[in-house]
Amino acid sequence: MEERELSLADILADIMLHWRGIILMMLVGAILLGAVSYMRSYHASKAQAARVEKAREEIAQKEAERLEFEKDQQELGLSEHEMLKNILLEELTDLQVRAVEYVMSYESLYNDKMSYRENSLIMQMDPNNVKRAEVTIMVSASEPQNSHDIEKVYEDIVCSGEAIAYIAEQIGCEANNISEGITLGRGSSGMVEENTFRMVILHYDEDICRKMLQAAIDFVNITHGELEQAMGEHEVAVIYQSLITVIDTDILVHQRSYLSDIETLANTIETCKANFTPEEWDYYDFLENGKLTGLREEYEKKVGEERGETGEGNKEQTPEEIVKTGVTVVPGISKKYVVLGAMLMVFAYAFIIFLRYILNNKLKETDSLPVLYGLPQLGEIPVPVHEKKFLGFVDKWIISVRDRNKRKFLRDEALGLAIVAVKMAVSKEAIKEVCLVGCDLKDQAMETCRTIKEKLVKEEIQVDILSNVLYDASAMEELEKTKSVVLVEKAGSTLYNEIAQELELLKRQEIKVLGGIVIGEG
């Protein structure tokens, strides 16, 4: 026996011929998963209703507690502001109160830093384009020690508030806007004696920087007259001054560090607010505005819009939100579950049919005896589809599609052709007798054999019918008298290995096999 090849078309046709079972399985799957979806929605609705009821009870309990607390506060004669604060504090733990106060302190620090960023001279500068003015001033007196002492006094004066205010007045701005840009340093090392000092002025505008430099020199000259009266005669001379554009990495580091601190503070504040409970929000609103202004609702609306855009998950609902939402789940059957159940059952049932087809080792109508066993195929006798079967015409159509490349014959036509083929095979062998052999020949198979026998007898050909020669001792004994046989096998009943065993038996007995006839499934 040759290895049997599987035909995808035959497999699909076999599955389609079970269309009644497929429809039944679809209904079963749809009903089962439809019932599951209904039970899920029913339990979800009940759970949601219980949650809403519990939220109502919590709200009622809080309201009762609030009214009781207000009554106690009124009896103490507190103001409305104090009463509101006590009511809010009553709903908070010490940890929650500290969390709100921390946020308030963070916000205060954040606002201070933002104010500094907007008004600071250093923060307004471009580190890659800093205007730097320098002036070195020498103080000299008759005594070297006096020169050193007087120079120290000048160092204190030029960086005093009076000096910065004078410089600010000359350029028309506030003193606190330029104080960061004025620093004091020692004189050039080794070039002059220690009775020198250096002023460094930084600004982002070259003209203003030049004016500040000149104002600083003017202030030193103005102060010179007053100090001469107090400390004795001395001379003040500008020995070096310059104005250049430089790259200042210290300013760059300062700016980046400061902006990083601001960003960290902003993130900390946002994170803390995101973790606020409704009670903490109300207390924060009270501390911020002295009353409840609806900050919590505004924040939740803002966060809700952001979450709608970014796809973030929803925050846990408050009892008020739960009651407002109400019961949204209505018990019902999900169409998706119904369709899914039907499809799953169809696939499962089709897979079972596929496995049965693959594992089935019985002869099929579409099998070819010449291909499998090298036998001449003398006939294929179809069994008509039972017309009384429910929608039997569908089965006929499926079979016609499967056998679209084959010539169609009625049973009587196919039987007549098979009889002629057997007669020709017998005549070719020049014999007048033949035996029809098969496994379990009964019902339509036996009837077919009798019809063949009846027709061939009229042609003066002796025909014997032997069934189950592999399993019936008397039939096997009768086989000894036979010289030639024709195998008659029933599709869907005879096993492949049974045909192979029959051929082996006939070969041992040196009996000529003229060919085979396949009777369709019925």
Side-chain angles (χ1 to χ4, degrees), residues 194-437:
E194 292 184 355
N195 56 340
T196 63
F197 64 92
R198 183 181 68 215
M199 291 184 68
V200 178
I201 299 174
L202 303 177
H203 206 279
Y204 54 82
D205 186 277
E206 184 174 348
D207 292 337
I208 295 177
C209 189
R210 182 179 293 106
K211 290 178 180 179
M212 289 175 64
L213 176 63
Q214 186 59 49
I217 295 173
D218 293 344
F219 182 77
V220 170
N221 292 330
I222 293 171
T223 309
H224 175 231
E226 298 176 1
L227 288 182
E228 272 195 322
Q229 297 177 4
M231 303 191 70
E233 186 176 350
H234 61 275
E235 296 293 332
V236 177
V238 175
I239 62 174
Y240 175 78
Q241 61 178 320
S242 65
L243 176 60
I244 59 174
T245 300
V246 297
I247 297 175
D248 196 322
T249 56
D250 292 337
I251 292 178
L252 176 63
V253 171
H254 175 76
Q255 289 179 347
R256 287 183 175 178
S257 176
Y258 204 84
L259 293 175
S260 177
D261 291 343
I262 291 176
E263 185 177 359
T264 300
L265 267 176
N267 292 336
T268 301
I269 293 170
E270 187 65 24
T271 300
C272 292
K273 285 185 176 181
N275 294 325
F276 270 0
T277 63
E279 293 78 12
E280 289 173 327
W281 263 112
D282 290 340
Y283 185 56
Y284 171 80
D285 191 5
F286 175 79
L287 294 180
E288 185 74 16
N289 303 299
K291 59 181 180 178
L292 298 181
T293 62
L295 276 182
R296 172 165 64 94
E297 290 77 8
E298 292 178 7
Y299 179 82
E300 289 176 350
K301 182 180 179 181
K302 175 185 174 183
V303 171
E305 292 174 352
E306 292 177 353
R307 285 174 179 166
E309 295 173 356
T310 60
E312 296 179 1
N314 293 327
K315 193 175 180 180
E316 184 178 355
Q317 289 182 309
T318 62
E320 292 79 5
E321 291 171 339
I322 294 174
V323 172
K324 183 179 179 180
T325 304
V327 180
T328 58
V329 179
V330 179
I333 297 174
S334 171
K335 294 180 180 179
K336 291 189 295 184
Y337 272 71
V338 171
V339 174
L340 179 62
M343 297 303 296
L344 286 177
M345 290 300 288
V346 167
F347 282 119
Y349 188 62
F351 183 69
I352 292 173
I353 297 172
F354 173 75
L355 288 181
R356 285 181 56 191
Y357 185 92
I358 296 296
L359 300 176
N360 185 10
N361 61 349
K362 294 181 180 179
L363 186 67
K364 297 178 176 59
E365 289 184 67
T366 54
D367 287 330
S368 174
L369 294 180
V371 173
L372 292 177
Y373 301 101
L375 289 180
Q377 187 146 338
L378 303 179
E380 295 179 20
I381 314 299
V383 175
V385 178
H386 204 294
E387 295 294 343
K388 294 183 179 180
K389 204 171 186 180
F390 177 69
L391 298 179
F393 66 90
V394 177
D395 295 340
K396 293 179 66 176
W397 176 79
I398 295 173
I399 293 173
S400 66
V401 172
R402 181 193 66 184
D403 299 335
R404 64 187 182 280
N405 294 326
K406 295 181 181 180
R407 182 67 180 270
K408 307 298 186 301
F409 294 100
L410 297 177
R411 183 176 184 278
D412 291 341
E413 293 175 338
L415 184 57
L417 291 173
I419 293 172
V420 172
V422 173
K423 177 182 176 182
M424 292 174 63
V426 170
S427 300
K428 186 176 181 180
E429 295 295 327
I431 55 177
K432 286 295 183 177
E433 60 180 24
V434 68
C435 183
L436 303 180
V437 176

Side-chain angles (χ1 to χ4, degrees), residues 14-33:
D14 190 63
I15 293 174
M16 293 177 64
L17 285 172
H18 292 79
W19 62 272
R20 297 175 183 83
I22 290 175
I23 293 176
L24 179 61
M25 290 297 104
M26 287 180 63
L27 292 175
V28 171
I31 292 172
L32 287 177
L33 278 195

Side-chain angles (χ1 to χ4, degrees), residues 142-157:
S142 56
E143 295 292 334
Q145 183 60 40
N146 289 343
S147 298
H148 180 70
D149 294 340
I150 295 172
E151 184 268 336
K152 290 296 183 183
V153 174
Y154 272 100
E155 287 184 10
D156 293 337
I157 291 176

Side-chain angles (χ1 to χ4, degrees), residues 1-140:
M1 174 181 173
E2 297 293 332
E3 185 175 340
R4 180 169 60 101
E5 294 183 359
L6 297 178
S7 170
L8 181 60
D10 289 345
I11 295 174
L12 292 177
D14 190 63
I15 293 174
M16 293 177 64
L17 285 172
H18 292 79
W19 62 272
R20 297 175 183 83
I22 290 175
I23 293 176
L24 179 61
M25 290 297 104
M26 287 180 63
L27 292 175
V28 171
I31 292 172
L32 287 177
L33 278 195
V36 170
S37 68
Y38 179 83
M39 293 305 298
R40 281 170 59 89
S41 62
Y42 176 80
H43 289 303
S45 177
K46 288 295 183 183
Q48 201 173 50
R51 187 182 179 208
V52 171
E53 185 61 28
K54 182 179 178 181
R56 287 199 181 100
E57 293 175 358
E58 290 179 2
I59 294 173
Q61 182 179 358
K62 286 183 179 180
E63 183 65 18
E65 292 175 353
R66 186 184 66 80
L67 293 175
E68 184 67 23
F69 186 78
E70 286 183 358
K71 182 178 179 182
D72 295 339
Q73 296 294 311
Q74 289 173 355
E75 291 176 356
L76 295 175
L78 299 177
S79 65
E80 183 177 349
H81 185 272
E82 293 174 335
M83 188 184 305
L84 178 58
K85 181 177 181 180
N86 290 338
I87 290 174
L88 295 174
L89 287 173
E90 182 68 16
E91 298 178 348
L92 298 172
T93 64
D94 293 339
L95 185 62
Q96 289 175 314
V97 172
R98 286 197 296 272
V100 175
E101 291 174 349
Y102 287 154
V103 171
M104 298 289 292
S105 64
Y106 289 151
E107 286 186 329
S108 176
L109 179 59
Y110 176 80
N111 292 332
D112 291 342
K113 285 185 173 293
M114 288 299 295
S115 177
Y116 172 79
R117 176 189 175 185
E118 294 172 359
N119 300 314
S120 168
L121 176 63
I122 297 297
M123 297 302 292
Q124 304 303 319
M125 291 183 183
D126 178 4
N128 297 316
N129 189 26
V130 177
K131 309 305 177 183
R132 179 186 177 96
E134 294 185 12
V135 59
T136 302
I137 299 175
M138 183 175 68
V139 179
S140 58

